[in-house]
Amino acid sequence: MQSINSTLIINISCNQCLCYSKLSYPVLNCFSNNSCQFFPEFPLTYRIKQIIDARLYFPQRIFQNISQGCIPNTDTLLNKLIWSSMTTANISNPSELLIDDYGYISTIDKSLDTFSRFNITNLKLMNSIGIDTSSVMAIAYDNGFYYIKAYTTPLVIINSTSLTIVNNISLTSVNRARGIIFLKNGQIMVVSSYGTNSLVFFNRSNTSPINYIFISNQLINCSGPYGMWRVNDSFFYVTSYNNYSLYSYSDPINGLWKETFLFTVSNINNSNGVPHVTVDNGNRLWISLGTQTIYIYNQQGNILGNYTMPSNSKIADIKILANYVMYFSDVGMNRIIRIDPNISCN
């Protein structure tokens, strides 16, 4: 890769360079003469030149051609959001938001004890199913099924087509579930267990009805693991509710995931913790704090900007479509919000 803005270090192994570059550099050239060339950033356009005995690495898993999104400039995006149209739907104390394969956005309505689905365009209530929502903190969607886990009740699995409960699974190894993600096309389920400060892994043992069995439990340094965001089958994020920070987990070896502390969220002036992280198609990290302001970071932990909702808002979760239509669960004003900046991404 050719670039004027780079740093060359000699007398250093490629493995040492890889460890160092994961912290600060998205691109690395390793040469056979024990030297390395570090690139602090991508240019908008670049050329990769083949050199004998050299190898190019992307240690932070950021690839320019797929990570810019159609609006790489955050200030431009925020300005469009400020002037965007807003649609809202009233719902009591909404939790995490789910977007499924059928054009619905869903969440929990604690006042009605329901799991409710809304039209993704106009937020019209479409249908709902009654469940015990008194302590629901973790919900997820995968391959046509919704998953809902409360503190003391089993994991409830709901068919998204018929909106009927197909199974209840007791997860005795989980204490106060906060987040759920799925890997390997739903074969592996990962749950953040707030009460045990761990990640709990399950294997799908049956598909009709769907059932999961315990595999392993990994204690982690991420204090109060909460929101989770899957990037791929070997990389995901977890928020630390207690320490206002973000961790990543990658490259499992013999079932043990590599834990990396990424950064602490700045400008914290509340005691709500960090509920969730959302990654847009430009690889920006949108951090919700349960307040009116959402902070936006890049992959290196540098703050890019913030987006502020009305003063009584308390944003718990965010979902972002490819064209930057955004959805917010606002527990402060008991509503979900749709913001459409009218962006066309080709």
Side-chain angles (χ1 to χ4, degrees):
M1 182 171 180
Q2 296 179 311
S3 173
I4 297 175
N5 186 17
S6 64
T7 300
L8 183 68
I9 299 180
I10 62 174
N11 297 323
I12 185 171
S13 71
C14 188
N15 284 337
Q16 290 174 305
C17 292
L18 284 168
C19 291
Y20 182 58
S21 63
K22 283 185 178 181
L23 299 176
S24 305
Y25 297 96
V27 189
L28 164 69
N29 268 334
C30 281
F31 302 103
S32 60
N33 62 352
N34 285 332
S35 64
C36 298
Q37 183 183 20
F38 297 93
F39 298 89
E41 60 185 4
F42 283 102
L44 288 178
T45 59
Y46 60 90
R47 291 186 300 163
I48 296 178
K49 181 180 180 181
Q50 185 175 358
I51 301 175
I52 298 176
D53 295 330
R55 180 168 291 183
L56 183 66
Y57 291 90
F58 299 86
Q60 296 175 350
R61 302 171 182 269
I62 302 172
F63 307 98
Q64 178 74 12
N65 289 343
I66 64 171
S67 65
Q68 281 291 308
C70 67
I71 302 189
N73 186 287
T74 303
D75 289 337
T76 300
L77 175 58
L78 290 174
N79 187 59
K80 287 181 176 293
L81 290 175
I82 291 172
W83 298 102
S84 298
S85 61
M86 176 187 292
T87 305
T88 63
N90 295 329
I91 186 166
S92 175
N93 199 17
S95 62
E96 186 174 359
L97 299 171
L98 305 179
I99 296 178
D100 61 26
D101 301 320
Y102 303 97
Y104 298 119
I105 186 159
S106 309
T107 191
I108 297 295
D109 188 325
K110 290 193 174 181
S111 67
L112 299 178
D113 275 343
T114 61
F115 174 76
S116 300
R117 302 196 298 190
F118 299 82
N119 181 285
I120 203 167
T121 302
N122 57 24
L123 296 188
K124 178 183 177 181
L125 178 64
M126 302 304 294
N127 46 32
S128 59
I129 180 174
I131 58 171
D132 178 9
T133 66
S134 58
S135 61
V136 169
M137 294 300 294
I139 62 175
Y141 174 82
D142 182 69
N143 284 333
F145 294 89
Y146 303 111
Y147 296 78
I148 302 173
K149 180 69 178 76
Y151 282 174
T152 57
T153 60
L155 175 71
V156 179
I157 304 178
I158 300 173
N159 185 300
S160 63
T161 301
S162 60
L163 209 63
T164 57
I165 296 174
V166 297
N167 205 0
N168 293 274
I169 305 174
S170 178
L171 305 181
T172 57
S173 52
V174 174
N175 184 342
R176 299 166 69 186
R178 286 295 197 270
I180 303 171
I181 60 171
F182 294 88
L183 309 174
K184 299 182 178 180
N185 198 31
Q187 186 62 44
I188 303 297
M189 178 174 68
V190 190
V191 182
S192 59
S193 179
Y194 186 92
T196 59
N197 217 86
S198 63
L199 300 175
V200 187
F201 296 82
F202 299 86
N203 183 62
R204 188 175 58 202
S205 60
N206 196 29
T207 57
S208 184
I210 291 179
N211 191 46
Y212 283 87
I213 59 175
F214 173 79
I215 303 176
S216 64
N217 179 83
Q218 180 173 331
L219 294 175
I220 56 178
N221 293 314
C222 175
S223 180
Y226 210 100
M228 308 179 73
W229 185 273
R230 175 192 177 277
V231 175
N232 54 48
D233 284 342
S234 60
F235 190 92
F236 59 87
Y237 295 104
V238 179
T239 64
S240 167
Y241 191 87
N242 296 342
N243 289 342
Y244 310 104
S245 53
L246 184 67
Y247 288 74
S248 70
Y249 295 85
S250 62
D251 304 321
I253 300 176
N254 296 325
L256 186 66
W257 288 74
K258 178 184 177 182
E259 179 182 69
T260 303
F261 168 80
L262 298 177
F263 58 86
T264 298
V265 178
S266 60
N267 301 314
I268 295 291
N269 56 5
N270 69 92
S271 58
N272 293 328
V274 179
H276 293 287
V277 59
T278 301
V279 184
D280 69 15
N281 63 4
N283 272 328
R284 287 172 288 227
L285 306 169
W286 297 66
I287 306 290
S288 56
L289 303 172
T291 66
Q292 69 182 113
T293 301
I294 301 105
Y295 291 94
I296 308 162
Y297 288 81
N298 64 15
Q299 298 284 320
Q300 291 72 47
N302 301 313
I303 191 163
L304 301 175
N306 63 78
Y307 181 57
T308 300
M309 305 294 285
S311 59
N312 293 324
S313 293
K314 294 180 179 179
I315 304 302
D317 190 29
I318 311 161
K319 290 294 184 287
I320 305 174
L321 302 185
N323 60 353
Y324 296 102
V325 173
M326 299 189 182
Y327 300 86
F328 305 84
S329 60
D330 184 353
V331 298
M333 300 185 71
N334 293 307
R335 62 182 182 171
I336 55 176
I337 304 167
R338 181 182 187 269
I339 300 289
D340 185 356
N342 195 27
I343 295 171
S344 178
C345 295
N346 297 320

